[in-house]
Amino acid sequence: MSNNPVNMEIFDLADEFIAVANRLLEEEQKDLGHISAAIRYAAARFSAHEAACRSGDLSADKEKAFNWYSEQFGKMLDENLNQHIEMAKQH
């Protein structure tokens, strides 16, 4: 993990979303799968909004944007799955 302040801000923002998800899970007893699906949907929707705002021609840039967001999510998911694997090994 980088000590770059921008990266730390991203992690802090992510922690805020995770706190909401945890509250929904614990206090409101929502389904874990529903919460996870809602977060993925929100991320996809907001990412599409970002891509549209940053693109001069989203029709032309759609594949490039799709590939970039997919790659980013894949890297983040892989990193977090590996963290869970390591935690499981310690228990």
Side-chain angles (χ1 to χ4, degrees):
M1 181 164 39
S2 172
N3 289 329
N4 183 329
V6 173
N7 288 339
M8 292 310 299
E9 181 182 9
I10 290 169
F11 293 125
D12 291 341
L13 288 168
D15 286 344
E16 290 186 47
F17 290 108
I18 293 167
V20 171
N22 286 332
R23 181 185 57 76
L24 291 170
L25 183 63
E26 295 166 8
E27 295 174 14
E28 298 189 26
Q29 299 183 356
K30 300 289 184 184
D31 180 77
L32 176 65
H34 287 170
I35 294 168
S36 186
I39 290 172
R40 286 191 305 275
Y41 182 77
R45 188 170 183 163
F46 202 81
S47 295
H49 172 72
E50 178 191 18
C53 289
R54 293 181 183 274
S55 173
D57 182 357
L58 189 56
S59 293
D61 296 335
K62 179 184 173 189
E63 184 176 351
K64 181 179 176 184
F66 181 87
N67 291 336
W68 186 84
Y69 284 106
S70 297
E71 180 182 330
Q72 292 296 306
F73 182 80
K75 287 178 183 178
M76 292 174 196
L77 181 59
D78 185 56
E79 179 181 324
N80 283 279
L81 288 171
N82 287 335
Q83 288 174 4
H84 279 273
I85 291 167
E86 288 303 312
M87 287 189 307
K89 288 179 184 177
Q90 295 173 5
H91 289 95

